[in-house]
Amino acid sequence: MMAYFLTDLAELTRHLGRTRQIWQHDARQDWFQTDATTPSPLVAGRPARSAKGFFFAEQEHVFEFDGRYFRETLPRPKPFALIGVSSCDLVALAYQDQFFADDPHYQARRQQGLLVGLECTTPCTHGFCPTVDAGPGARAGTADLVLHPLDDGWLLTATSTQGEDSLRGLSLAAASECAQQLRDKQLADCEQQFPDDHHIVEGARRLNAGEIAEDLWQHLGIQCLSCSGCTSLCPTCSCYGVQDQSSEQTISRRRFWDSCLYDGFQREASQHNPSADAGARVQRFWYHKFSDDFRQDFGRYGCVGCGRCEVTCPGVIGVHSVMKRICHE
Amino acid sequence: MPGQQSVQTICPFCGVGCGMNLLVDHQESVVGVSPQSDHPISKGKLCAKGWSTPFAIEPGDRLKHPLIRTPNGFRAASWEEALEVICFGLEDIITRLGPDAVGVISSARASNEDNYAAQKFARAVLGTNNVDHCARICHSPTVAGLKQTLGSGAMTNSAADIDQADVIVVWGSDATENHAILGGHIIEAKLRGATLIVVDPRRTRLAKLADLHLQVRSGSNILLANALLHEIYRHGWQDQAFLDARCEGAEALAEAVADCSPSRLSEAIGVPASQIQTLARIYGQAGNAMIFYGMGITQFVSGTFNVMALANLALSCGQMGRPGTGVNPLRGQNNVQGACDMGCLPNVYPGYQDVADPAARQRISDYWQCLVPNRTGLTSMGMTRAALRGVFKGMILFGEDPVVTDPDQNEVLASLKALDLLVVAELTMTETASHAHVVLPAASFAEKNGTFTNCERRVQLVHQAIPPVGESRGDWQWLGAIARRLGSKALDWTDSQAVFDEMAAITPNYSGMTYPKLARHHGLQWPCNETAPDGTALLHQTSFPIGRARLIPVHHVDIDEPADGDYPLQLTTNRLHFHYGCGSMSRKSPLLERETPDGILFINPLDAQSLGLRDHSAVGVRSRRGYLETRAILTDDLPPGLVSMPYHFHEAPSNQLTNRAMDPISKMPELKVCAVRVCPLPEGQQPRPIQAILAQTSGSDPQETSG
Ligand code: SF4
Ligand code: SF4
Ligand code: SF4
């Protein structure tokens, strides 16, 4: 792991842009492809959408059958770099990497992508990454390169071989001890500034201890409009549905993001539905995010503390709202 | 991968007008959406329909070129050919029968620019005021009722106001299904401590969360409003200072409700008198109280009076002109407000300027440089009836599917068949389009620039994200092409901004708006003019457009078709969060389509039991007008005696059954209630889609009759 001092971020962007498409986000817009020769300034924090859609596409064709042959329709993206991925989103991608380890479509994109993290120095609204061990500093093994803002430039750390390789040809000075210390201090300060989120810890405890009354789930279920917003924006959600479409000559199968909050998600052709009631669906969602069972499989909670579900849930049952209700009712 | 670009636009589904970004990939197709976190209403949220937008507009089954009917079905045609057939047809009808034998039905889904073009086409090119759109069947009573009492037929307040309401009354609206994001604001308000009261015959989602649910009998709205007023005046809870300063008619109203005591009316209303008294006390003594209402108010023969009754209530208590108050219609389609504002109504020019007013006519004629007609035109249902009488022969219709969405489907079908020329412009082949002589491929909202006006009067910009699919064109463009062929330059605009500028110059409420200004402000709420350059969030703050508001006493009107021995159940209609209008867009999403239950007749378990029905049993449903088959879904969200059907599904269209009896003032049909008979189908028999049932009864398709 090598740490460098970078005066001009544009220099890095231009360098990476020679061989890759460059994507960034600004606070308002979402991810957008930027012209690497005249890059726009980086914005820290969480964009509306996480980076998961770069690898697990919102919808894509998976194969075609022309009557005789099956043809896999693998994506072949050009190399690209995502600059400014927040620490929580990096952790979520590492989680998705496990889930999609054997998925050729995900992997075809993943192999072409370079992840450049950007560490937060102030908490974002609704975020609680420290509580779920996902930030504000980038977690080990989740990025290729990590940026941290300093007063007069950037601390740039190469955290993978691919990251180290990507810097080849760029002349960089090693970072001073002092820059490292400043980073640690800024991250510690940032952690201090997060609002009290005792309800998350206590809520997760009660959830795992099975201390939540059935009634409460029922009540929360009434508030779920099955909009699919939480599952679309949650960086660790990975459910998809498939549909076969036939045209004159071919049948093609596509898959698309699905949502476990839909009534139809588990409904069988017989109309039997193991999760026909909305309360049970809401319960399952939160179980997936905070259950110790999943922690064993994935080495961590399913929630990375990004806070997106709190913003996007029209029924007011995002993570903070739910956990507070669990603690107070 | 998220799109190469992300294009800011507005959700095309409902009147809330949420902000969304469309993500466009390298092949110029829309692959995703993301909510706009800085949007003033949606603040980073979308509902299921909004999230499904990429499916709704995907090219798969879109119409890609014009189609012309031949004896053997449709054939593809060039625009040239299609325009020629249309112009020949129009000229022929107009020569034979005059311009009032033709008309235009525009679309509350299309942009303001398209709607402005549609009414100008009717008036300036065809020479008729026969122009209408679907507001007739959702909020025409709102326009008629609020115009008389307040002077302006729109939502008085804004979505943001919900934050400031102490009491929220949701009356005849299932706001979390059809206006989900606004419904979400209401949930939020309830959780922060506002008192939520729901008046609805069905136990809606909000009813389940409410402090008080008045599960009233269908059609008892005026009785309830009058009983509330009775209590309010009896206890002196009215806002006398407000009444004295700003209203007229309070005394007469108090007198008119003197004999409407809750105890006398409670049986007819269907709820205990104590509930009525509680609601009167809470509303009458509230700091800020906000009323929201939907089609449970408007879709009655008493629609206009129902709206006036709510206005009486709000005015009496002085709940008007402040944040967190008012009378707020929840408008269904994304641009139904705009379509009305643009003058796609047979009795008003743009900006509600009366066609009967000679000064208005002069103004419009001068501006357009042609004499516009002054006879009030036909409503959409007027056109249907005139077609059946043989005096109306040519219709141009876009973005609507009246065969599915209008009452009494069989009559609508017969009227369409009586036309010499039916032109339908659509995204996909709809039921109505399948009866057209010429079908034109229309561009979707993602393929054009323009503006939508949401239910809180906010005019918002829609940006083109992708090129039009196939040869499809925007509505104002193809209307312009027909006009040019008919020798008129009236619709010769260079771009949508030019249409908007022309419209804003003669539409007083829009006069202060321009595209750049809309872009800067996340949209502007009308009125936006010299005195209110940044728009108006809150109407009627210091005065009403008619000076003083009018309290007009209204009296109960019986529903047209109560249940009886032959048709013992009362049928009402509802909407599902997952679907929209005729379903032609929302049903393209495999996810939303999966949410469609396999049956759509909702029925109370007690009624089901007495009919011998189980959950998912196949049933036939008959009214005096038609018959359909579906499956029953048992739910105690409905009281015994009341059954309900959503209207989005063309295979089992509730409008086979619904009643055409109309509100005499607004011509709104009584879609919310009619009488039906439900009977189980024989064991093992599947419900047949309506198309098969009709084919069988008319015997027009021998193959299907045997099946
Ligand atoms: S559950 Fe909510 S806070 Fe946690 S990762 Fe998902 S979207 Fe973020
Ligand atoms: S965002 Fe909220 S309302 Fe939407 S599906 Fe998730 S929990 Fe349900
Ligand atoms: S509430 Fe209406 S405008 Fe908002 S996302 Fe849903 S359908 Fe679209």
Side-chain angles (χ1 to χ4, degrees), chain B residues 11-18 20 45-50 178-182:
Chain B
C11 174
F13 284 110
C14 90
V16 178
C18 298
M20 61 164 58
K45 308 172 206 296
L46 294 172
C47 78
K49 291 182 286 283
N178 197 41
H179 303 86
I181 296 306
L182 215 138

PDB file of all heavy atoms in Angstrom, chain B residues 11-18 20 45-50 178-182, ligand 3:
ATOM      1  N   CYS B  11     -41.934  13.137 -13.828  1.00  0.00           N
ATOM      2  CA  CYS B  11     -42.632  11.856 -13.968  1.00  0.00           C
ATOM      3  C   CYS B  11     -43.898  12.027 -14.802  1.00  0.00           C
ATOM      4  O   CYS B  11     -44.663  12.958 -14.598  1.00  0.00           O
ATOM      5  CB  CYS B  11     -42.989  11.320 -12.590  1.00  0.00           C
ATOM      6  SG  CYS B  11     -43.991   9.829 -12.686  1.00  0.00           S
ATOM      7  N   PRO B  12     -44.128  11.125 -15.759  1.00  0.00           N
ATOM      8  CA  PRO B  12     -45.270  11.280 -16.658  1.00  0.00           C
ATOM      9  C   PRO B  12     -46.556  10.668 -16.124  1.00  0.00           C
ATOM     10  O   PRO B  12     -47.544  10.611 -16.847  1.00  0.00           O
ATOM     11  CB  PRO B  12     -44.808  10.499 -17.889  1.00  0.00           C
ATOM     12  CG  PRO B  12     -44.004   9.375 -17.317  1.00  0.00           C
ATOM     13  CD  PRO B  12     -43.290   9.969 -16.114  1.00  0.00           C
ATOM     14  N   PHE B  13     -46.603  10.200 -14.894  1.00  0.00           N
ATOM     15  CA  PHE B  13     -47.757   9.401 -14.486  1.00  0.00           C
ATOM     16  C   PHE B  13     -48.870  10.136 -13.754  1.00  0.00           C
ATOM     17  O   PHE B  13     -50.023   9.907 -14.039  1.00  0.00           O
ATOM     18  CB  PHE B  13     -47.316   8.191 -13.677  1.00  0.00           C
ATOM     19  CG  PHE B  13     -46.726   7.112 -14.523  1.00  0.00           C
ATOM     20  CD1 PHE B  13     -45.391   6.819 -14.475  1.00  0.00           C
ATOM     21  CD2 PHE B  13     -47.530   6.411 -15.404  1.00  0.00           C
ATOM     22  CE1 PHE B  13     -44.850   5.826 -15.274  1.00  0.00           C
ATOM     23  CE2 PHE B  13     -47.003   5.421 -16.199  1.00  0.00           C
ATOM     24  CZ  PHE B  13     -45.663   5.130 -16.134  1.00  0.00           C
ATOM     25  N   CYS B  14     -48.557  10.936 -12.765  1.00  0.00           N
ATOM     26  CA  CYS B  14     -49.708  11.513 -12.062  1.00  0.00           C
ATOM     27  C   CYS B  14     -49.517  12.980 -11.756  1.00  0.00           C
ATOM     28  O   CYS B  14     -48.456  13.553 -11.980  1.00  0.00           O
ATOM     29  CB  CYS B  14     -50.072  10.709 -10.809  1.00  0.00           C
ATOM     30  SG  CYS B  14     -49.241  11.254  -9.313  1.00  0.00           S
ATOM     31  N   GLY B  15     -50.560  13.573 -11.209  1.00  0.00           N
ATOM     32  CA  GLY B  15     -50.597  15.012 -10.998  1.00  0.00           C
ATOM     33  C   GLY B  15     -49.669  15.532  -9.909  1.00  0.00           C
ATOM     34  O   GLY B  15     -49.588  16.738  -9.694  1.00  0.00           O
ATOM     35  N   VAL B  16     -48.979  14.642  -9.206  1.00  0.00           N
ATOM     36  CA  VAL B  16     -48.046  15.124  -8.197  1.00  0.00           C
ATOM     37  C   VAL B  16     -46.844  15.792  -8.872  1.00  0.00           C
ATOM     38  O   VAL B  16     -46.344  16.810  -8.419  1.00  0.00           O
ATOM     39  CB  VAL B  16     -47.594  13.974  -7.266  1.00  0.00           C
ATOM     40  CG1 VAL B  16     -46.574  14.479  -6.255  1.00  0.00           C
ATOM     41  CG2 VAL B  16     -48.792  13.380  -6.549  1.00  0.00           C
ATOM     42  N   GLY B  17     -46.411  15.202 -10.003  1.00  0.00           N
ATOM     43  CA  GLY B  17     -45.329  15.833 -10.764  1.00  0.00           C
ATOM     44  C   GLY B  17     -43.969  15.709 -10.112  1.00  0.00           C
ATOM     45  O   GLY B  17     -43.250  16.689  -9.935  1.00  0.00           O
ATOM     46  N   CYS B  18     -43.588  14.496  -9.743  1.00  0.00           N
ATOM     47  CA  CYS B  18     -42.293  14.280  -9.094  1.00  0.00           C
ATOM     48  C   CYS B  18     -41.132  14.495 -10.068  1.00  0.00           C
ATOM     49  O   CYS B  18     -41.252  14.230 -11.256  1.00  0.00           O
ATOM     50  CB  CYS B  18     -42.224  12.867  -8.536  1.00  0.00           C
ATOM     51  SG  CYS B  18     -43.472  12.565  -7.283  1.00  0.00           S
ATOM     52  N   MET B  20     -37.691  13.568 -11.745  1.00  0.00           N
ATOM     53  CA  MET B  20     -36.871  12.378 -11.970  1.00  0.00           C
ATOM     54  C   MET B  20     -35.801  12.663 -13.006  1.00  0.00           C
ATOM     55  O   MET B  20     -35.942  13.559 -13.830  1.00  0.00           O
ATOM     56  CB  MET B  20     -37.740  11.190 -12.420  1.00  0.00           C
ATOM     57  CG  MET B  20     -38.497  11.409 -13.708  1.00  0.00           C
ATOM     58  SD  MET B  20     -39.130   9.872 -14.457  1.00  0.00           S
ATOM     59  CE  MET B  20     -40.150   9.226 -13.184  1.00  0.00           C
ATOM     60  N   LYS B  45     -37.844  11.013  -3.802  1.00  0.00           N
ATOM     61  CA  LYS B  45     -38.718   9.832  -3.787  1.00  0.00           C
ATOM     62  C   LYS B  45     -39.433   9.679  -5.121  1.00  0.00           C
ATOM     63  O   LYS B  45     -39.636  10.643  -5.850  1.00  0.00           O
ATOM     64  CB  LYS B  45     -39.783   9.980  -2.694  1.00  0.00           C
ATOM     65  CG  LYS B  45     -39.224  10.317  -1.317  1.00  0.00           C
ATOM     66  CD  LYS B  45     -40.344  10.634  -0.347  1.00  0.00           C
ATOM     67  CE  LYS B  45     -39.928  11.548   0.774  1.00  0.00           C
ATOM     68  NZ  LYS B  45     -38.936  11.032   1.688  1.00  0.00           N
ATOM     69  N   LEU B  46     -39.859   8.461  -5.415  1.00  0.00           N
ATOM     70  CA  LEU B  46     -40.741   8.176  -6.546  1.00  0.00           C
ATOM     71  C   LEU B  46     -41.648   7.036  -6.095  1.00  0.00           C
ATOM     72  O   LEU B  46     -41.295   6.288  -5.189  1.00  0.00           O
ATOM     73  CB  LEU B  46     -39.951   7.718  -7.778  1.00  0.00           C
ATOM     74  CG  LEU B  46     -39.016   8.717  -8.455  1.00  0.00           C
ATOM     75  CD1 LEU B  46     -38.199   8.006  -9.527  1.00  0.00           C
ATOM     76  CD2 LEU B  46     -39.796   9.875  -9.072  1.00  0.00           C
ATOM     77  N   CYS B  47     -42.790   6.892  -6.763  1.00  0.00           N
ATOM     78  CA  CYS B  47     -43.619   5.740  -6.429  1.00  0.00           C
ATOM     79  C   CYS B  47     -43.340   4.613  -7.430  1.00  0.00           C
ATOM     80  O   CYS B  47     -42.529   4.761  -8.338  1.00  0.00           O
ATOM     81  CB  CYS B  47     -45.094   6.127  -6.409  1.00  0.00           C
ATOM     82  SG  CYS B  47     -45.810   6.266  -8.047  1.00  0.00           S
ATOM     83  N   ALA B  48     -44.038   3.494  -7.282  1.00  0.00           N
ATOM     84  CA  ALA B  48     -43.784   2.334  -8.141  1.00  0.00           C
ATOM     85  C   ALA B  48     -43.909   2.691  -9.617  1.00  0.00           C
ATOM     86  O   ALA B  48     -43.146   2.209 -10.454  1.00  0.00           O
ATOM     87  CB  ALA B  48     -44.735   1.202  -7.775  1.00  0.00           C
ATOM     88  N   LYS B  49     -44.877   3.542  -9.950  1.00  0.00           N
ATOM     89  CA  LYS B  49     -45.042   3.904 -11.356  1.00  0.00           C
ATOM     90  C   LYS B  49     -43.856   4.712 -11.838  1.00  0.00           C
ATOM     91  O   LYS B  49     -43.306   4.455 -12.897  1.00  0.00           O
ATOM     92  CB  LYS B  49     -46.338   4.702 -11.548  1.00  0.00           C
ATOM     93  CG  LYS B  49     -47.587   3.863 -11.346  1.00  0.00           C
ATOM     94  CD  LYS B  49     -48.845   4.666 -11.600  1.00  0.00           C
ATOM     95  CE  LYS B  49     -49.148   5.650 -10.500  1.00  0.00           C
ATOM     96  NZ  LYS B  49     -49.726   5.106  -9.281  1.00  0.00           N
ATOM     97  N   GLY B  50     -43.454   5.687 -11.034  1.00  0.00           N
ATOM     98  CA  GLY B  50     -42.306   6.498 -11.415  1.00  0.00           C
ATOM     99  C   GLY B  50     -41.072   5.628 -11.646  1.00  0.00           C
ATOM    100  O   GLY B  50     -40.391   5.758 -12.659  1.00  0.00           O
ATOM    101  N   ASN B 178     -52.981   6.529  -5.774  1.00  0.00           N
ATOM    102  CA  ASN B 178     -52.881   7.282  -7.017  1.00  0.00           C
ATOM    103  C   ASN B 178     -51.958   8.486  -6.952  1.00  0.00           C
ATOM    104  O   ASN B 178     -51.498   8.963  -7.961  1.00  0.00           O
ATOM    105  CB  ASN B 178     -54.270   7.719  -7.470  1.00  0.00           C
ATOM    106  CG  ASN B 178     -54.269   8.116  -8.920  1.00  0.00           C
ATOM    107  OD1 ASN B 178     -53.640   7.456  -9.734  1.00  0.00           O
ATOM    108  ND2 ASN B 178     -54.912   9.201  -9.236  1.00  0.00           N
ATOM    109  N   HIS B 179     -51.712   9.019  -5.785  1.00  0.00           N
ATOM    110  CA  HIS B 179     -50.823  10.179  -5.673  1.00  0.00           C
ATOM    111  C   HIS B 179     -49.807   9.848  -4.601  1.00  0.00           C
ATOM    112  O   HIS B 179     -49.663  10.558  -3.600  1.00  0.00           O
ATOM    113  CB  HIS B 179     -51.599  11.430  -5.276  1.00  0.00           C
ATOM    114  CG  HIS B 179     -52.709  11.755  -6.218  1.00  0.00           C
ATOM    115  ND1 HIS B 179     -53.956  11.214  -6.121  1.00  0.00           N
ATOM    116  CD2 HIS B 179     -52.733  12.548  -7.304  1.00  0.00           C
ATOM    117  CE1 HIS B 179     -54.710  11.665  -7.106  1.00  0.00           C
ATOM    118  NE2 HIS B 179     -53.995  12.469  -7.839  1.00  0.00           N
ATOM    119  N   ALA B 180     -49.139   8.723  -4.814  1.00  0.00           N
ATOM    120  CA  ALA B 180     -48.406   8.088  -3.734  1.00  0.00           C
ATOM    121  C   ALA B 180     -47.450   9.022  -2.994  1.00  0.00           C
ATOM    122  O   ALA B 180     -47.353   8.951  -1.769  1.00  0.00           O
ATOM    123  CB  ALA B 180     -47.658   6.886  -4.280  1.00  0.00           C
ATOM    124  N   ILE B 181     -46.773   9.869  -3.709  1.00  0.00           N
ATOM    125  CA  ILE B 181     -45.764  10.684  -3.034  1.00  0.00           C
ATOM    126  C   ILE B 181     -46.440  11.735  -2.152  1.00  0.00           C
ATOM    127  O   ILE B 181     -46.008  12.005  -1.030  1.00  0.00           O
ATOM    128  CB  ILE B 181     -44.800  11.306  -4.069  1.00  0.00           C
ATOM    129  CG1 ILE B 181     -44.027  10.179  -4.776  1.00  0.00           C
ATOM    130  CG2 ILE B 181     -43.857  12.319  -3.433  1.00  0.00           C
ATOM    131  CD1 ILE B 181     -43.302   9.207  -3.859  1.00  0.00           C
ATOM    132  N   LEU B 182     -47.539  12.281  -2.650  1.00  0.00           N
ATOM    133  CA  LEU B 182     -48.301  13.194  -1.809  1.00  0.00           C
ATOM    134  C   LEU B 182     -48.931  12.444  -0.636  1.00  0.00           C
ATOM    135  O   LEU B 182     -48.965  12.931   0.493  1.00  0.00           O
ATOM    136  CB  LEU B 182     -49.370  13.849  -2.671  1.00  0.00           C
ATOM    137  CG  LEU B 182     -49.641  15.273  -2.296  1.00  0.00           C
ATOM    138  CD1 LEU B 182     -49.795  16.097  -3.548  1.00  0.00           C
ATOM    139  CD2 LEU B 182     -50.880  15.350  -1.465  1.00  0.00           C
TER     140      LEU B 182
HETATM  141  S1  SF4 C   3     -46.484  10.109  -7.223  1.00  0.00           S
HETATM  142 FE1  SF4 C   3     -47.126  10.502  -9.311  1.00  0.00          FE
HETATM  143  S2  SF4 C   3     -45.607  11.892 -10.157  1.00  0.00           S
HETATM  144 FE2  SF4 C   3     -44.737  10.968  -8.288  1.00  0.00          FE
HETATM  145  S3  SF4 C   3     -43.579   9.195  -9.009  1.00  0.00           S
HETATM  146 FE3  SF4 C   3     -45.634   8.477  -8.505  1.00  0.00          FE
HETATM  147  S4  SF4 C   3     -46.785   8.611 -10.423  1.00  0.00           S
HETATM  148 FE4  SF4 C   3     -44.935   9.820 -10.660  1.00  0.00          FE
END
